[in-house]
Amino acid sequence: MKLYRFLSGPDDSSFCHKVTAALNKGWQLQGSPTYAFDAETKTMRCGQAVVKDVEYVEYEPGIKLSEY
């Protein structure tokens, strides 16, 4: 099964740590990161898609992606 997640967060070290943690759990970067201005909070936001192949598990909508 291939899993997909979109990680997002503020443009600070917490976002980098979130992506780093995912990479260390076996997730791989998918595509280019995104960067956008949040007009409501007047801050920059980052986003990055990650994917992971998991064997011997069937996909079901209720799975918690962050547990993989």
Side-chain angles (χ1 to χ4, degrees), residues 7-65:
L7 306 175
S8 63
D11 179 23
D12 62 16
S13 65
S14 69
F15 176 74
C16 295
H17 285 284
K18 186 185 290 189
V19 174
T20 299
L23 293 173
N24 281 283
K25 289 183 177 181
W27 292 84
Q28 296 184 352
L29 300 176
Q30 178 69 36
S32 299
T34 61
Y35 197 60
F37 182 70
D38 182 340
E40 190 171 309
T41 62
K42 297 184 178 22
T43 60
M44 294 302 292
R45 305 278 300 169
C46 300
Q48 175 66 56
V50 292
V51 295
K52 184 175 186 178
D53 289 316
V54 178
E55 295 181 348
Y56 313 114
V57 178
E58 291 284 326
Y59 172 76
E60 56 183 80
I63 66 171
K64 292 188 177 189
L65 299 173

